[in-house]
Amino acid sequence: MSGWPRSVERGHPLERRVPGAPQRLVYGAAREVEIHPDREALVDAAAEHVVALARAAVAARGRFTIALAGGGTPRPVYERLAHPTFACRIDWSRARIFFGDERCVPPDHPESNYRMVREALLDRVPIDPANVHRIAGEDDPEKAARDYEQTLREQLDGSFDLVLLGMGDDGHTASLFPGSPALDEARRWVLPTESTRPHPMWRITLTPVVIDAAAAVTFLVAGASKAERLREVLEGGAGAESLPAARIRPTDGALRWMVDADAASQLRRRP
Ligand code: 6PG
């Protein structure tokens, strides 16, 4: 067996896979899981996925609206999209960049999702800054949330073409944390939330209301530390329903999980 991480114990169906093409699992309606042999393959596939959706949206509606995830997993995807072999395949004049969440810090703060995206992608592609809509993490949280919601309602035709999301090992996504009242919000698209990660701080997050309205929602999950939670989210278990990532259910849009073999190593579903 070569190419599969040690976390795929002997006898697991993934073990017999020849590294290369992803394995696919389907969990119910429009909920597809792509399992990639390693993080590198996941990054490449995720970049291809964004290019494909961008090109389809531009062909259909003349523009592409995307909400980007923060955290560490998507950064190499953004860097891949900035690479000439990918960047030349997106018409950046038609792209409209938004954020799924933001920490309440200034835009040049090391913990700012905007700063991460700017360094990994925005500074390296020909996008008009007027088409990049960051969340004002430096403002009062409630004001920042209301202002961003106003921006979304002005800029979107009601929904995103694509929302990229990550998942924490506690099952949070965007800045929707377990027990957060924002999980039960039925009207607002953007809310301030309190988090303890990476330390106690306020954050601003999209709510499930606007995420579930998207034409496509794609989770990017990698690493063995996510394996147990990913199994709970996808295959159920005590308390699974309370996990924020499990609460994301696109109304009509496609829900896709793009994961690496480490993160998938505890899935019981057989491909
Ligand atoms: C953030 C993200 C957050 C992230 C998860 C997973 O602002 O940190 O929006 O929801 O996606 O914490 O982070 P990793 O990809 O770094 O594991």
Side-chain angles (χ1 to χ4, degrees):
M1 175 195 71
S2 65
W4 287 104
R6 47 155 173 61
S7 62
V8 177
E9 73 280 3
R10 298 199 66 75
H12 189 284
L14 289 177
E15 183 187 25
R16 292 192 296 278
R17 289 284 304 153
V18 174
Q23 270 194 298
R24 294 180 194 283
L25 300 175
V26 179
Y27 288 84
R31 197 159 65 149
E32 181 177 299
V33 181
E34 264 184 35
I35 303 170
H36 295 273
D38 54 37
R39 203 174 283 230
E40 190 65 16
L42 171 61
V43 168
D44 267 334
E48 289 290 353
H49 175 61
V50 173
V51 168
L53 291 189
R55 294 172 68 87
V58 169
R61 288 177 295 283
R63 69 177 198 161
F64 173 55
T65 58
I66 182 172
L68 298 177
T73 304
R75 180 171 187 138
V77 179
Y78 305 149
E79 290 167 344
R80 192 65 46 85
L81 288 169
H83 188 278
T85 55
F86 280 89
C88 66
R89 295 160 57 195
I90 290 179
D91 179 349
W92 295 98
S93 70
R94 306 296 186 96
R96 304 292 182 268
I97 306 292
F98 300 86
F99 291 79
D101 70 329
E102 185 56 278
R103 292 83 178 278
C104 290
V105 295
D108 58 352
H109 189 283
E111 292 175 348
S112 164
N113 286 336
Y114 168 77
R115 171 174 164 175
M116 181 273 284
V117 170
R118 180 177 58 71
E119 291 172 346
L121 177 64
L122 303 177
D123 284 351
R124 303 162 64 190
V125 294
I127 189 163
D128 182 343
N131 293 333
V132 177
H133 303 281
R134 71 175 182 89
I135 300 169
E138 68 276 24
D139 285 354
D140 164 76
E142 180 58 30
K143 178 182 184 308
R146 290 194 181 282
D147 289 348
Y148 203 63
E149 176 153 346
Q150 180 65 29
T151 296
L152 295 184
R153 290 183 184 275
E154 288 168 358
Q155 294 289 330
L156 297 179
D157 300 330
S159 64
F160 287 105
D161 292 313
L162 173 60
V163 176
L164 285 182
L165 294 172
M167 185 189 77
D169 57 13
D170 62 349
H172 82 263
T173 189
S175 286
L176 298 164
F177 290 87
S180 169
L183 288 167
D184 299 313
E185 172 61 35
R187 189 177 46 81
R188 289 184 62 179
W189 288 8
V190 186
L191 282 175
T193 61
E194 285 191 87
S195 84
T196 57
R197 292 179 173 224
H199 51 74
M201 65 161 63
W202 278 94
R203 294 183 177 215
I204 311 294
T205 188
L206 298 187
T207 66
V209 175
V210 69
I211 296 172
D212 287 348
V217 177
T218 299
F219 279 90
L220 304 176
V221 184
S225 68
K226 311 288 178 74
E228 181 184 348
R229 205 64 67 204
L230 185 64
R231 179 182 53 71
E232 277 188 273
V233 168
L234 292 177
E235 300 181 347
E241 276 307 299
S242 67
L243 298 174
R247 302 281 292 272
I248 300 302
R249 303 184 187 98
T251 310
D252 297 315
L255 176 59
R256 179 180 299 208
W257 291 79
M258 300 183 76
V259 306
D260 70 357
D262 270 337
S265 57
Q266 292 193 22
L267 293 182
R268 297 196 183 101
R269 173 72 61 92
R270 291 298 186 254

